[in-house]
Amino acid sequence: MIKAPRGTADILPSEIYKWDYVEKVAKDTAKCFGFSEIKTPVFEQTDLFQRGVGDTTDVVQKEMYTFSDKGDRSITLRPEGTASAARAYLEHSLYALPAPVKLFYDIACYRYEKPQAGRMREFHQFGAEMYGNAEAAADAEIIAFAAAIFKNLGITGLSLNINSIGCKECRKNYNDALLKYLTDNSENLCETCHERLKKNPMRVLDCKSPICKGIASGAPSILDFICDDCKAHFEEVQRRLRNMDVEFSIDPSIVRGLDYYTRTVFEFVSTTIGAQGTVCGGGRYDNLIESIGGKPTPGIGFAMGLERILLVMESIGVPFPESPKPDIYIAALGQFEFAEKLLSELRAKGIWAERDISERSLKVQMKNADRCGAKFSVVIGDDEVKEAKAAIKNMQSGEAQKIDLNAEEIRSYIKKLEESNGND
Ligand code: ATP
Ligand code: MG
């Protein structure tokens, strides 16, 4: 039997309403913050990620799905959304729009990783990007946006950790100090970190091995090396977050896994879903646009992992709205064609109407009506058609009321009752 590839998952109808809910809350929140959706291709030229994400990152070094297409072009399935959004921003001259340009995306991403809980080879991200503003208020706003999504989902207990990794200039001094410390303590570093040490020592701070993590915890703090401008920026970000009542802690060990970050970096972390606890990561990337061929343009963004968000919601028991149910079940006694016509008129009016395609006995139809959880049902026989009236039954209370047998009457009856029940 052919199975789905390792590290991928089917999302079945019994689960999809949870995904729909999370995505809807995220998109509704995006609206309040003035972000518009962008859709970019699932695959890009490999070069985009090599330059955008950074050659020395784990993502580019080990995790990309890269292949040659039939025209011998090197193609990569997107491992993340930021580089693609930045490419589109440049390609379509979105910089000509008044700043800030605010985009969000809701996408599948691909990374060749060791699958485990919260770590998939195909996974989903909701992310946002804001271009054109270097001010600390932009950092605070993007962080507040991510925090608002978690709040609107009813997720509590996440910690928001922020840090500043400075600009290119501060990083030079820091890299020297870090390299010295790591070289002095390199004995027990993992093999990959020995490589990282040569190419990009800051990547060692992002290693997941407990031993490397232990060594990293004693490393010099970047915050002791950032320049006065970067320091003032970081302090202003904190002031703005406090002003918007967004709670945070400072964690000087956050460096993030992608090369394009400058100044502010942040993570939202859960302690309830095991080792893969980072549900959202983001930061400022003032060098990204330039690195893929544009004019220097400040930018900042975040990406949250939808699988991990769902795991958190399940682990802390955040209630999901019930999965939607049919509005009405149309049962027929003989009058199947009349019922079919009515069904089609109801659907044209936006009503979710069900029936028995196999046109079986009334008993079977009523059983189906129960099983699918329809809110109302109606039985159409010869008398109903003759009188042009039928009893519409509330499947929960059992109450029935005779109404005119036409689609508009049925629609308004259902809507009126739903409104009085406070449903939408
Ligand atoms: P991690 O440290 O867990 O590998 P990362 O730093 O590689 O995460 P980012 O590239 O910042 O992650 O991606 C943003 C978010 O996307 C992560 O915080 C996480 O929620 C989610 N994510 C990243 N990789 C995966 C994956 N392989 N499977 C599921 N979710 C993922
Ligand atoms: Mg990773």
Side-chain angles (χ1 to χ4, degrees):
M1 209 181 47
I2 299 175
K3 293 199 168 157
R6 187 165 142 77
T8 68
D10 298 312
I11 304 165
L12 300 177
S14 55
E15 289 289 305
I16 201 82
Y17 73 97
K18 297 182 185 171
W19 286 79
D20 285 348
Y21 172 66
V22 170
E23 290 173 23
K24 182 175 184 314
V25 169
K27 288 182 181 180
D28 287 350
T29 311
K31 206 190 292 167
C32 297
F33 280 79
F35 283 69
S36 311
E37 183 161 12
I38 183 167
K39 285 189 194 288
T40 60
V42 166
F43 58 87
E44 297 271 0
Q45 293 181 41
T46 301
D47 200 32
L48 173 67
F49 302 113
Q50 281 171 341
R51 281 164 44 186
V53 176
D55 254 343
T56 59
T57 59
D58 276 4
V59 170
V60 171
Q61 293 255 310
K62 304 193 289 197
E63 296 170 2
M64 294 206 306
Y65 276 90
T66 298
F67 57 94
S68 293
D69 72 4
K70 292 192 197 317
D72 239 0
R73 301 170 193 91
S74 181
I75 294 292
T76 295
L77 300 186
R78 65 177 165 223
E80 53 107 58
T82 300
S84 303
R87 181 206 40 76
Y89 173 85
L90 279 181
E91 189 167 337
H92 304 288
S93 314
L94 301 186
Y95 44 79
L97 299 171
V101 172
K102 300 192 274 187
L103 306 175
F104 79 82
Y105 53 81
D106 182 15
I107 58 173
C109 299
Y110 302 86
R111 295 186 192 179
Y112 194 77
E113 299 203 68
K114 194 167 152 228
Q116 47 202 294
R119 194 175 292 289
M120 308 283 292
R121 289 184 176 171
E122 180 184 68
F123 64 98
H124 298 81
Q125 285 189 341
F126 182 92
E129 316 290 349
M130 185 166 172
Y131 304 96
N133 283 80
E135 297 93 330
D139 307 43
E141 184 149 313
I142 205 97
I143 295 172
F145 175 15
I149 293 176
F150 293 125
K151 184 159 185 229
N152 292 342
L153 283 170
I155 296 178
T156 51
L158 295 183
S159 44
L160 162 61
N161 304 321
I162 65 171
N163 191 23
S164 174
I165 56 171
C167 58
K168 273 186 187 153
E169 292 311 307
C170 334
R171 215 96 51 86
K172 264 186 218 143
N173 299 333
Y174 179 61
N175 261 327
D176 292 345
L178 182 63
L179 189 60
K180 183 173 179 326
Y181 168 83
L182 291 174
T183 312
D184 291 347
N185 294 276
S186 65
E187 212 178 308
N188 296 321
L189 286 177
C190 73
E191 221 169 281
T192 323
C193 278
H194 273 107
E195 280 306 301
R196 291 178 173 130
L197 199 53
K198 283 183 221 147
K199 292 186 186 144
N200 189 347
M202 265 175 86
R203 290 276 78 83
V204 174
L205 305 183
D206 213 25
C207 182
K208 305 234 159 35
S209 127
I211 296 176
C212 299
K213 270 193 169 157
I215 297 171
S217 67
S221 164
I222 178 91
L223 291 177
D224 295 330
F225 290 82
I226 62 177
C227 65
D228 287 348
D229 278 356
C230 287
K231 205 173 278 170
H233 181 93
F234 191 42
E235 273 161 18
E236 185 64 16
V237 172
Q238 296 171 48
R239 238 190 320 275
R240 297 303 182 117
L241 286 175
R242 277 188 219 107
N243 190 43
M244 290 190 278
D245 292 327
V246 178
E247 279 179 38
F248 62 87
S249 320
I250 294 172
D251 178 353
S253 74
I254 302 177
V255 293
R256 311 281 313 119
L258 312 178
D259 262 357
Y260 46 57
Y261 289 115
T262 49
R263 293 194 160 174
T264 314
V265 287
F266 58 91
E267 291 180 347
F268 287 80
V269 185
S270 157
T271 51
T272 58
I273 56 168
Q276 271 60 248
T278 308
V279 292
C280 173
R284 176 168 280 288
Y285 46 79
D286 292 347
N287 302 322
L288 171 64
I289 298 280
E290 207 179 347
S291 72
I292 61 167
K295 289 205 191 96
T297 309
I300 182 154
F302 68 74
M304 39 183 72
L306 298 186
E307 282 79 3
R308 293 187 194 175
I309 289 176
L310 284 158
L311 286 173
V312 170
M313 290 175 75
E314 269 151 25
S315 77
I316 62 174
V318 175
F320 287 94
E322 268 183 50
S323 96
K325 298 283 188 293
D327 293 311
I328 190 163
Y329 194 95
I330 308 287
L333 198 59
Q335 292 282 357
F336 285 108
E337 287 185 20
F338 185 96
E340 183 171 69
K341 217 180 179 54
L342 178 64
L343 208 89
S344 126
E345 286 164 9
L346 283 167
R347 288 171 176 169
K349 290 179 186 295
I351 296 292
W352 179 1
E354 287 292 344
R355 64 157 161 172
D356 181 27
I357 288 279
S358 306
E359 303 185 342
R360 285 167 290 188
S361 70
L362 188 59
K363 198 169 149 204
V364 171
Q365 294 180 61
M366 292 320 290
K367 211 181 199 172
N368 285 346
D370 252 343
R371 197 180 291 155
C372 73
K375 295 171 206 152
F376 296 91
S377 69
V378 70
V379 178
I380 299 169
D382 296 346
D383 290 349
E384 281 76 11
V385 172
K386 210 181 309 152
E387 269 182 60
K389 282 193 179 295
I392 181 164
K393 180 175 162 193
N394 182 324
M395 295 291 281
Q396 253 189 354
S397 66
E399 270 168 58
Q401 191 176 332
K402 240 181 186 182
I403 63 170
D404 286 350
L405 184 53
N406 68 64
E408 185 44 39
E409 279 299 308
I410 295 177
R411 190 200 68 85
S412 56
Y413 183 81
I414 293 175
K415 289 291 159 205
K416 209 165 62 211
L417 275 189
E418 279 191 343
E419 271 157 30
S420 67
N421 286 341
N423 300 335
D424 60 9

